[in-house]
Each structure stands twice: as structure tokens, then as C-alpha cells.
């Protein structure tokens, strides 16, 4: 298998390899680099702990579609059970009403949107959208 890369491509791949260490993209980039050094797909697959067909798939993606396609994972993050309009309504509710605990906010969300959150889930949601907890205290 002959994969000849220019010096600039090799430098770019090595730079990306350092930046993506510890991620799934690291194996993809390392696979291409090892193949460019003349190693066989069998040795590459054994060294990286992946299947030989995966080595060929990564090579095909890189040669046909380029580096951006190779690094693309296609995974989308979890945004929670509320959509953007519901999150906006929750923000407005919290601006105009003071809630003393997460359980009461959870009840409001369930009554308003029909979505059940645990109190800890509400705390995580509120942290994600920028709210913080301030302990209430009596004012004379």
C-alpha cells in the first residue's frame, strides 16, 4: 500500500495528531501517518487495536474526502429534554419568580411543559443555562 504525503501534509497531520491526543480522532490520524510511513495495514491494525477493514476505511476517507471528513465524528451533543422556546420560558419564569429549591422548579417545569426532571436534573439544567444557586435568607 503506497500512500505518499507531501512534507506539508505530514506536518499538518502530526500537528493535528498532537492536538487530538486522547480523542477518537487520534487513532484515525495515527492510522494515516503509519500508512504513509510504509507500514502494512495489518501492522497498523494490530498496533492501534482496530480492524483491518477500519484501516482501509480511514485511508479511503482521507484520500477521497480529505482531512476534514476524516476528523468528522457525526456525534451531536445532548441538549436536554426542553427545546429553545421552553428554555426561554423557563428563564423568564425564573427572572420574575423566586424559587427556594429545585424541587419547586421541577414541579413548575412538569406543569408547564409536561417534562419530568429530578431536582438534581433541574440543578444541572439551570447551571447549563447560566443560573446559580444563592441560599435565601431572611431580611429584617
Amino acid at each position: 500500500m503506497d500512500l505518499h504525503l507531501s512534507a506539508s501534509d505530514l506536518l499538518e497531520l502530526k500537528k493535528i495528531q498532537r492536538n487530538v491526543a486522547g480523542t477518537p480522532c487520534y487513532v484515525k490520524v495515527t492510522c494515516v501517518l503509519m500508512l504513509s510511513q510504509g507500514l502494512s495495514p495489518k501492522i497498523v491494525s494490530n498496533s492501534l487495536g482496530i480492524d483491518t477493514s477500519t484501516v482501509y476505511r480511514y485511508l479511503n476517507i482521507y484520500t477521497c474526502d480529505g482531512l476534514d471528513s476524516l476528523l468528522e465524528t457525526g456525534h451531536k451533543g445532548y441538549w436536554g429534554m426542553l427545546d429553545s422556546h421552553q428554555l426561554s420560558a423557563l428563564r423568564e419564569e425564573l427572572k420574575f419568580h423566586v424559587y427556594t429549591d429545585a424541587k419547586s422548579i421541577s414541579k413548575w417545569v412538569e406543569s408547564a411543559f409536561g417534562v419530568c426532571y429530578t431536582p438534581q436534573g433541574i440543578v444541572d439544567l439551570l447551571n447549563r443555562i447560566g443560573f446559580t444557586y444563592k441560599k435565601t435568607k431572611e431580611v429584617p
Side-chain angles (χ1 to χ4, degrees):
M1 169 144 317
D2 291 332
L3 175 64
H4 299 288
L5 298 176
S6 67
S8 63
D9 288 342
L10 277 173
L11 286 174
E12 182 181 7
L13 281 171
K14 288 180 182 181
K15 178 180 162 188
I16 290 172
Q17 183 186 34
R18 284 190 304 273
N19 291 335
V20 297
T23 67
C25 293
Y26 180 81
V27 173
K28 295 176 180 181
V29 173
T30 304
C31 177
V32 173
L33 283 171
M34 291 174 79
L35 290 171
S36 72
Q37 293 174 354
L39 297 174
S40 71
K42 182 76 173 169
I43 293 173
V44 172
S45 69
N46 288 337
S47 298
L48 296 176
I50 57 177
D51 193 55
T52 307
S53 62
T54 305
V55 172
Y56 285 111
R57 186 166 41 92
Y58 290 163
L59 177 63
N60 188 37
I61 291 171
Y62 180 74
T63 55
C64 294
D65 300 328
L67 182 60
D68 290 336
S69 293
L70 182 69
L71 297 176
E72 190 175 288
T73 60
H75 297 291
K76 295 179 182 171
Y78 175 69
W79 289 97
M81 296 184 278
L82 300 179
D83 62 25
S84 60
H85 298 291
Q86 292 169 329
L87 287 175
S88 296
L90 176 60
R91 283 188 188 103
E92 290 299 315
E93 175 68 20
L94 294 174
K95 283 181 186 175
F96 297 112
H97 295 92
V98 176
Y99 290 91
T100 57
D101 61 352
K103 193 173 188 179
S104 57
I105 299 173
S106 175
K107 287 180 183 176
W108 183 86
V109 168
E110 186 173 357
S111 67
F113 308 123
V115 177
C116 295
Y117 270 97
T118 63
Q120 183 58 49
I122 284 291
V123 169
D124 294 340
L125 172 68
L126 294 177
N127 286 333
R128 190 171 67 239
I129 63 174
F131 285 90
T132 57
Y133 173 74
K134 307 272 193 234
K135 186 171 180 165
T136 56
K137 58 183 174 181
E138 292 183 17
V139 177

